[in-house]
Amino acid sequence: MPNIGFPGLILILLIALVVFGPKKLPEIGRAFGETLKEFKKSTKDLRDDVLDEDSKDKK
């Protein structure tokens, strides 16, 4: 996947602003941030569980 770069990022933000409007954009960003945070937490918990199982099997 190619890098977007600064001009591409500005273009994406402008299109999102036009499509969703200035009032809805912060809500969408907040929801995306919460989703990303929950995904990271879930993957960390899963990784920790797998590592715990692996360390128990070696004993």
Side-chain angles (χ1 to χ4, degrees), residues 17-33:
L17 184 62
V18 168
V19 170
F20 296 113
K23 291 185 180 183
K24 195 74 170 168
L25 208 55
E27 294 174 22
I28 294 170
R30 192 175 304 114
F32 179 73

Side-chain angles (χ1 to χ4, degrees), residues 6-58:
F6 190 70
L9 185 61
I10 296 295
L11 181 64
I12 290 170
L13 290 174
L14 285 174
I15 291 171
L17 184 62
V18 168
V19 170
F20 296 113
K23 291 185 180 183
K24 195 74 170 168
L25 208 55
E27 294 174 22
I28 294 170
R30 192 175 304 114
F32 179 73
E34 289 292 324
T35 302
L36 188 60
K37 184 172 84 173
E38 187 65 31
F39 178 75
K40 283 183 176 181
K41 181 179 177 273
S42 297
T43 55
K44 182 183 180 303
D45 290 344
L46 181 63
R47 188 186 72 218
D48 291 345
D49 288 345
V50 169
L51 290 175
D52 286 345
E53 287 288 323
D54 191 37
S55 66
K56 287 179 183 178
D57 287 343
K58 288 183 180 181

